[in-house]
Amino acid sequence: MQEFAGEGNRDHTCSYGTKYLLKQISALRKQIPGVIAAHDIEHIHQMRVATRRLRSALPLFPLCFPQKKIQRWRRDLRNTARSLGKARDLDVQISFLTGFIADLKAGRPVENRVLLPSVVPETSPPVPFNSKWYTLSISYRKLVTTFQSALSRAWNYFSHTAVDGDLACGDHSSRQADLVPGLEYLLFRKNKERSDYQSEVEKTIWQMEKAGILGAMEKYLQRHRPVERASLQVGRETYATAFTSIALRIEEVLSFSESLADPGKIREHHALRIAVKRLRYTLEVWRDLFDGTINKEIGALKEFQDLLGDLHDCDVWTEYLPEFLKGEEERCRVFFGNDTHFKSLVPGIEALARERRERRGQLHEITLSTWGELESRQFWDGLMEKFIMPLALREDLPVRIGIL
């Protein structure tokens, strides 16, 4: 019969995995009240992170838990993560727009943001956006529209009769002000979308609690948790599982490396971000096994993942904004019977689209440079070496491992 190293130490692998999973279940539970209250966006972020960590860790311990249970738990957690993901994306967009508008209103120059074209076409005066606009009666909206037209004519008259010196002094601030209405309207729409989606988030959590997903996981893990003993040593099997899981994740990351140089391969860049995220979460599973000696690597991957995330955010905005403008033009024509209100939205939305395209190009250069730095430091080989060394120093017998 084949002899395996670490047969007596499998309890350590299962004990380690169970402890990590229970920790993430506890972290997930703690965020539920905050997610339902929806006062702080950090709660939904942390709950989503705990869900991802659970899903990343479960496939690493198939020798400890039944495969069918692992697959069912991951499926249930995936459904929860998707719902949280949409809410989190909206929170990030709202946070970005809020800061963007605040900088505009304060007249603060923002690094790496291209707000205005070299030649700004003459536009109508900005129409302050009111979130209650759509609740007004039709007759009142017509009155407001008439007032807008009169205001536009007065604006053009005084603009053309102004003293050149005074016009020059106020030129930049007026052009900045032209951008605000469209951006505030976009922010209003995003806030409305997020507010409406909160009921879906609460429904998802209610369904998760009703199905008893976390309770069932917790109960099973506690019942089958190996008894921790002082004599329980880290076996070769645990290190072999850690090494194999990291090697597979690094291979996945490197498979997208060639596409990074091409700024047009947006899908591949998004896939690389997901691969880096998976590697980072897998590393975090084994953080305690290596007594924190892989913290620098985890930090470096977090920074690289953030860069790729910012890159993806720019892609999302760039694809979304033209469609948003198209939809709003039709909405305004149907709602108001003209495009006066729509024209006040265009400068800000188009400026944001320009800024996002420009920022995307800058981020792509930074991402390429960061990737080159990781390669020059032999980051990937060094990470593999950290995981293979403990394995090489232990008894030279085959080990039984499993990864889904």
Side-chain angles (χ1 to χ4, degrees):
M1 179 180 293
Q2 174 69 63
E3 183 181 2
F4 290 94
E7 283 292 310
N9 288 319
R10 179 168 301 169
D11 280 354
H12 178 273
T13 304
C14 296
S15 176
Y16 185 94
T18 301
K19 185 177 180 180
Y20 182 85
L21 293 171
L22 287 171
K23 179 181 177 182
Q24 299 311 317
I25 292 173
S26 176
L28 196 158
R29 281 188 184 280
K30 288 179 181 178
Q31 302 303 326
I32 291 177
V35 170
I36 294 175
H39 296 316
D40 186 348
I41 65 174
E42 191 63 20
H43 291 294
I44 205 162
H45 173 57
Q46 292 302 327
M47 184 174 177
R48 189 184 180 203
V49 168
T51 304
R52 283 175 168 175
R53 284 173 174 159
L54 274 170
R55 293 194 73 243
S56 296
L58 281 168
L60 305 182
F61 305 100
L63 299 182
C64 304
F65 317 115
Q67 184 173 337
K68 287 185 178 180
K69 284 190 176 294
I70 291 176
Q71 291 174 342
R72 185 173 68 252
W73 291 341
R74 293 192 80 235
R75 183 182 63 250
D76 293 339
L77 290 169
R78 180 185 60 201
N79 295 335
T80 302
R82 283 177 176 172
S83 178
L84 298 176
K86 182 174 179 180
R88 173 60 180 171
D89 290 344
L90 287 168
D91 286 340
V92 170
Q93 290 181 335
I94 290 168
S95 178
F96 167 75
L97 282 173
T98 301
F100 198 98
I101 294 169
D103 289 340
L104 273 179
K105 287 184 173 180
R108 289 190 293 266
V110 184
E111 186 179 3
N112 294 326
R113 288 184 181 171
V114 181
L115 297 178
L116 297 168
S118 56
V119 178
V120 181
E122 188 175 307
T123 61
S124 301
V127 179
F129 175 70
N130 190 333
S131 60
K132 299 180 181 179
W133 181 264
Y134 291 115
T135 64
L136 302 177
S137 67
I138 294 176
S139 59
Y140 189 80
R141 289 201 301 268
K142 288 181 178 178
L143 178 62
V144 173
T145 302
T146 303
F147 174 74
Q148 288 177 350
S149 299
L151 183 61
S152 177
R153 289 194 296 271
W155 175 277
N156 290 332
Y157 173 78
F158 287 112
S159 294
H160 285 93
T161 56
V163 179
D164 291 343
D166 293 338
L167 184 61
C169 291
D171 188 50
H172 179 72
S173 60
S174 65
R175 286 183 294 173
Q176 296 287 80
D178 286 347
L179 307 182
V180 174
L183 294 172
E184 285 191 332
Y185 177 74
L186 177 60
L187 177 59
F188 165 76
R189 289 291 301 277
K190 287 295 178 181
N191 274 315
K192 180 71 165 56
E193 187 179 356
R194 178 62 180 89
S195 178
D196 291 344
Y197 192 72
Q198 179 62 20
S199 60
E200 187 66 26
V201 172
E202 293 173 9
K203 178 182 176 182
T204 299
I205 293 176
W206 178 81
Q207 289 175 338
M208 181 181 70
E209 293 287 86
K210 182 182 179 182
I213 296 170
L214 297 182
M217 289 179 63
E218 211 165 29
K219 185 177 180 180
Y220 183 89
L221 292 170
Q222 291 285 12
R223 188 193 313 150
H224 294 83
R225 186 174 189 171
V227 178
E228 294 191 17
R229 304 185 301 273
S231 60
L232 199 59
Q233 300 295 320
V234 183
R236 193 164 181 256
E237 181 180 277
T238 307
Y239 284 112
T241 303
F243 169 75
T244 304
S245 64
I246 295 303
L248 290 173
R249 290 303 184 199
I250 290 178
E251 183 181 4
E252 183 185 17
V253 169
L254 295 179
S255 69
F256 295 104
S257 60
E258 292 184 3
S259 64
L260 186 59
D262 187 346
K265 292 190 174 181
I266 294 174
R267 289 184 180 180
E268 288 82 355
H269 297 167
H270 180 48
L272 175 60
R273 180 180 75 91
I274 293 173
V276 171
K277 177 179 63 180
R278 287 172 175 166
L279 172 57
R280 180 186 138 223
Y281 283 140
T282 305
L283 278 175
E284 288 178 347
V285 173
W286 305 115
R287 190 201 302 263
D288 292 342
L289 182 65
F290 287 82
D291 297 322
T293 58
I294 56 175
N295 283 343
K296 288 184 177 180
E297 287 79 1
I298 292 173
L301 287 172
K302 175 65 167 62
E303 291 178 4
F304 189 57
Q305 179 190 329
D306 287 345
L307 274 175
L308 291 166
D310 291 342
L311 204 68
H312 179 64
D313 288 345
C314 290
D315 293 331
V316 171
W317 279 117
T318 301
E319 182 179 358
Y320 170 78
L321 291 173
E323 292 299 319
F324 175 78
L325 273 181
K326 183 178 179 181
E328 288 308 311
E329 182 175 17
E330 179 63 24
R331 184 193 298 268
C332 286
R333 289 187 184 278
V334 171
F335 202 81
F336 296 107
N338 59 63
D339 62 356
T340 303
H341 180 66
F342 171 73
K343 287 180 178 178
S344 70
L345 308 179
V346 174
I349 305 300
E350 289 186 342
L352 178 60
R354 285 193 298 272
E355 189 275 342
R356 293 287 80 189
R357 287 194 298 269
E358 178 71 15
R359 182 60 176 155
R360 211 277 180 190
Q362 295 168 344
L363 284 168
H364 181 252
E365 292 297 324
I366 296 171
T367 305
L368 268 180
S369 176
T370 303
W371 179 268
E373 183 181 345
L374 290 173
E375 287 193 321
S376 67
R377 287 163 42 195
Q378 297 184 324
F379 177 85
W380 310 110
D381 291 340
L383 183 56
M384 289 281 284
E385 186 176 341
K386 280 193 173 184
F387 275 78
I388 202 172
M389 282 303 294
L391 189 59
L393 293 174
R394 278 158 173 79
E395 53 186 307
D396 190 23
L397 285 174
V399 294
R400 181 178 295 152
I401 60 174
I403 295 177
L404 291 180

